[in-house]
Amino acid sequence: MRRIIIDADKCKACKNCSVACMRAHAPEGVTFSLSDPQFESRNTILQDGEKQYKPLFCRHCAKPSCANACVSGALAKDPNTGHVLYNPDICAKCFMCVMNCPFGVLKPDRLTNTYVVKCDFCAADGSEPNCVANCPSKAIYVKEVE
């Protein structure tokens, strides 16, 4: 199964991954800014007190706490790809998944607080996710894992 892997030592916090993620999920031809609440990146770059960057991406865990906590079944692990996918149409909006993610990756959307924002591996279409393809320092890459 393919996973997004982060080498935090290579991250320069350029936010190309965030912009690429937003672009992948925005309607064709729409322009946006990083601060526009209508468009959100499914990843986050944090900075600690030592000026070290900590990229946060969904790890599509082998045993996802988020999906296990989901009362509606809106989060489920795809048996073919191993990715944890989200179906907003059946989401109960209880955000138990957000509270149970051990990495603090999942979040409610900023504009309406009515759905969960999380990585979908760019819809798992088999190609390289936009964040990976647009990382100039190669801090983000895809790896086959068991």
Side-chain angles (χ1 to χ4, degrees), residues 49-71:
E50 304 296 318
K51 298 209 182 240
Q52 295 293 314
Y53 300 109
K54 309 273 188 223
L56 295 177
F57 285 70
C58 180
R59 297 175 187 211
H60 298 277
C61 301
K63 294 181 181 177
S65 298
C66 61
N68 292 338
C70 182
V71 297

Side-chain angles (χ1 to χ4, degrees), residues 60 74-78 81 83-87 118-120 124:
H60 298 277
L75 279 171
K77 190 167 187 69
D78 182 301
T81 65
H83 299 143
V84 178
L85 302 178
Y86 172 65
N87 181 346
K118 76 165 294 301
C119 172
D120 60 3

Side-chain angles (χ1 to χ4, degrees), residues 33-46:
S33 73
L34 282 171
S35 61
D36 187 340
Q38 184 177 1
F39 303 102
E40 291 189 64
S41 175
R42 279 120 173 101
N43 57 58
T44 304
I45 309 294
L46 299 178

